[in-house]
Amino acid sequence: MSETDRTGTAEIPASASSSSEQGAKTRFGNEAIAPYFFVALFALAFFAVGYVLLPFFGDMVIAFLFVILLTPLHARLARLLGGKQVLASGLTVVALVVVGAVPIFLIASALLKDISEAAVTWSSAGRSLALRAIAGRNGVIMSGISNIASRFGITLAPEWVERALLDTGRSLTQYLATRANAFLSSLLSTTLHVVITLFSIFYLFIHGDKLRTFIYRLSPLQHDEDQIFLNKLGEVGRAILVGSGTSSLLQGLVASIAWVIVGLPSPVLWGILMAIAAFLPLVGIAAVVLPATIYLWIEGRPLAAVLFLVFCMGQSFFFEYGLKPRLMGSSMRMNSLLVFLSLLGGIMGFGVSGLIYGPLIMTLFLTLVQLYQTRYQQTIARRLSVTLAVDQDKPKADSAR
């Protein structure tokens, strides 16, 4: 008995089965929709991976910038160690930790101490004679405000101004204390981000070339255009870290020393705020120095106020227009207004990290504009003109029929 008789079914040849499957695919359009299905799956996977990695995006950006900055040191170590990339990468990361960890720990400790002391001072304002001598109804600030208001024919109630000053100072310092406590409570999360940044630096040193080649293969742009983007972002990142970073830190450090000399309180806190303000062009440390100068003047120390103002603005001018351009070179040739808006908008959108994100995003946009003007403007205009010409000819052909 044949195989067909025993089973009751006839065996379908492989070629026939294959042809029937192909016919089914063609009949239902599987091959036609396969590219769209793949694009949808790829987009879904892309956004899913982006969602997973989003909490660590800032860490990877910082790691990318540090890799650009430390590449010469890493290359030199690799040559000294006979081309051992892993060992050179590890030593570079260890050096970065040793150099950065101690100053950051000392500054953070002093900052928390200043914030805590300020919060205690303002919270006990009713019992602080020194504070009321400054912000009270008979204090130097109240006297200055009353004198200015009387010139314009305005009468102010001393109790209301005193309460407003004390409440404002108390709210500010309590907010800073709350943020400091939140920082301490999230110390584990902060440590995790630091570790991820260090591991990212380590692996970028080792596999950076492979990652660059992978990005080039995926990008539909020409190779030199991809290189332009990476070079521009690297130059701006180096300019931010080396040029703006060094200049701003020095301005904050020197101004905080002057802050201590004239006897102003919380020098670490205000020194850090001045260093952050120094990132902003057209504003700079004047945003903190001018109110401090007014405070010294109202306190009855005009000579100290003038010397403090002249010294702080003089050293800021030297670092901003003498040292900073030399460190940055021509890496960040951008209009001052655009730099200011990118930094300010970055801070408003991303917080302190916006000091880095804002200029990078602005650089990306300006690079796209430059590529459009030099390479794509004529091509896009030519294709649009052809498309519009075809669309205009269709009604004429239809009417002729």
Side-chain angles (χ1 to χ4, degrees):
M1 184 180 292
S2 66
E3 186 69 22
T4 304
D5 295 335
R6 285 200 303 267
T7 60
T9 57
E11 184 178 357
I12 301 175
S15 58
S17 175
S18 176
S19 61
S20 63
E21 290 178 0
Q22 291 178 359
K25 285 186 177 181
T26 304
R27 183 167 60 253
F28 292 105
N30 288 1
E31 293 182 354
I33 67 173
Y36 303 101
F37 185 68
F38 172 78
V39 170
L41 281 180
F42 184 79
L44 181 63
F46 179 80
F47 285 110
V49 171
Y51 180 78
V52 171
L53 297 180
L54 184 61
F56 312 110
F57 177 77
D59 306 331
M60 290 184 285
V61 171
I62 294 174
F64 171 74
L65 297 180
F66 270 105
V67 166
I68 294 174
L69 181 63
L70 298 175
T71 293
L73 174 62
H74 173 263
R76 189 175 304 172
L77 280 176
R79 286 195 301 269
L80 292 176
L81 296 173
K84 297 179 180 179
Q85 295 289 334
V86 176
L87 182 58
S89 301
L91 290 177
T92 305
V93 172
V94 170
L96 181 62
V97 171
V98 172
V99 171
V102 176
I104 290 176
F105 176 77
L106 295 176
I107 292 173
S109 301
L111 175 61
L112 293 175
K113 180 180 178 181
D114 279 356
I115 293 176
S116 300
E117 290 178 353
V120 171
T121 301
W122 284 100
S123 62
S124 59
R127 300 184 299 274
S128 176
L129 297 177
L131 184 60
R132 285 194 173 276
I134 298 173
R137 68 188 65 184
N138 297 320
V140 291
I141 294 181
M142 182 60 207
S143 300
I145 294 176
S146 299
N147 292 333
I148 295 174
S150 62
R151 295 179 182 180
F152 295 94
I154 302 174
T155 303
L156 297 177
E159 298 83 1
W160 181 86
V161 178
E162 177 188 3
R163 178 53 51 191
L165 290 171
L166 294 176
D167 289 344
T168 301
R170 185 183 299 111
S171 299
L172 176 61
T173 51
Q174 286 179 352
Y175 169 77
L176 293 174
T178 301
R179 298 302 299 174
N181 292 330
F183 173 78
L184 289 177
S185 62
S186 62
L187 187 60
L188 180 61
S189 175
T190 304
T191 304
L192 175 63
H193 285 289
V194 172
V195 170
I196 290 174
T197 301
L198 294 176
F199 269 103
S200 300
I201 294 173
F202 177 76
Y203 282 105
L204 282 174
F205 275 133
I206 299 175
H207 303 294
D209 293 336
K210 295 180 180 179
L211 178 61
R212 186 185 300 109
T213 303
F214 176 73
I215 293 174
Y216 286 169
R217 285 206 310 265
L218 284 182
S219 174
L221 298 176
Q222 298 179 15
H223 177 77
D224 61 332
E225 294 174 350
D226 293 326
Q227 192 66 42
I228 288 174
F229 277 111
L230 291 181
N231 290 342
K232 285 290 184 181
L233 293 178
E235 289 172 358
V236 172
R238 188 182 298 109
I240 293 172
L241 289 178
V242 177
S244 297
T246 304
S247 172
S248 300
L249 289 176
L250 288 175
Q251 290 182 53
L253 175 63
V254 176
S256 64
I257 294 174
W259 196 279
V260 174
I261 293 174
V262 297
L264 292 172
S266 305
V268 177
L269 171 62
W270 293 106
I272 292 176
L273 292 178
M274 284 187 286
I276 295 175
F279 272 94
L280 300 176
L282 309 179
V283 178
I285 65 172
V288 180
V289 171
L290 289 179
T293 303
I294 296 173
Y295 169 81
L296 289 172
W297 190 281
I298 294 175
E299 199 181 24
R301 302 169 60 191
L303 180 60
V306 173
L307 293 177
F308 176 75
L309 176 64
V310 172
F311 176 78
C312 288
M313 299 311 297
Q315 63 90 17
S316 176
F317 183 85
F318 168 75
F319 287 124
E320 188 71 19
Y321 299 102
L323 179 64
K324 183 176 176 180
R326 292 180 178 273
L327 293 175
M328 294 178 63
S330 58
S331 300
M332 198 171 175
R333 290 173 294 183
M334 192 185 302
N335 184 273
S336 297
L337 180 60
L338 291 180
V339 175
F340 174 76
L341 294 178
S342 64
L343 289 170
L344 194 60
I347 292 174
M348 295 177 65
F350 303 100
V352 179
S353 301
L355 293 172
I356 297 175
Y357 297 159
L360 288 178
I361 293 173
M362 183 63 71
T363 300
L364 179 63
F365 172 74
L366 294 178
T367 305
L368 285 171
V369 171
Q370 180 183 356
L371 287 177
Y372 169 75
Q373 290 177 336
T374 57
R375 301 195 178 188
Y376 291 97
Q377 185 175 14
Q378 295 181 356
T379 303
I380 293 174
R382 185 165 52 251
R383 292 183 179 180
L384 285 177
S385 62
V386 172
T387 303
L388 292 175
V390 171
D391 292 339
Q392 292 176 356
D393 291 339
K394 283 183 179 180
K396 296 180 181 179
D398 295 338
S399 61
R401 292 178 183 175

